[in-house]
Amino acid sequence: MGENTDLRSILNLFTDIWAQQAFKAPVLTLAAAFLPALLVYFPATRLAFRVSRMSRRVGRIADTLLLIPMFLPPAAAGFLLLLLFEIRSPLGFLLYENLYITAAGTWLGCIAASFVVSFPIMYRFARSGFARVSHGTVIAARTMGMTERALFRKIVLPQALEALVCGLIFTFARAAGEAGATTLIAGNMEGRTGTVSMMIVSLTREGKFGEAFGFVLFMLLPAAGCALILHRALWRKEKKRAGAQGN
């Protein structure tokens, strides 16, 4: 009986903590940043590799189309996502009827918005990384009979690793700070879609500067982490370059 009481007390404690908006918003923000960063990495990397093997003219067209979300205002991107995923749209109706999935007005809308606005960032870094891959090494590997999958994993990825790491960092940071597109497709509902960025805006409008400043301080932690990782990645790159020039 005592063990059940203790367990119930612990569960009630976690329930009370989760009920606090100060805890919900950071958790939603980190989840809405980590998941899109992971989801973006694989398609953006593979697509960038495929585009890098296209002819120059076709590659430029593909780059232009894939980088459009980077230059769209976030509100415009969110509006297009809302039109795409709302329940009355063909895709939104299909998702709801078959999978019972609703993106508009839900936490999935946060993921979709972060994915769209961060995808071109990861894609652009991957493209720049693959552009530095030695074509001579690639040709030699193909001549030796290496498969495309092995070529990509053993030769292309290691040479483009620094650019891919930087891309992941910027992708995470962009997704964590997303507010404009998220507001339109997911809204700003307390405990469901209210990320830290939107909470800062809402609290500032309400004149609650102390609470808003608390959320700002929270965002400084992942920002400092991203800056530190990026600095170390670039420092290692410069160190290797200096060593190569010295030899």
Side-chain angles (χ1 to χ4, degrees), residues 29-35 37 118 167-177 222-223 226:
T29 301
L30 293 177
F34 275 115
L35 288 179
S118 60
L168 270 176
I169 295 171
F170 277 96
T171 298
F172 171 80
R174 178 66 182 86
C226 290

Side-chain angles (χ1 to χ4, degrees), residues 204-223:
T204 303
R205 288 176 177 174
E206 297 172 6
K208 300 178 180 179
F209 295 101
E211 296 180 26
F213 185 68
F215 283 116
V216 172
L217 290 179
F218 170 80
M219 292 302 294
L220 287 176
L221 295 177

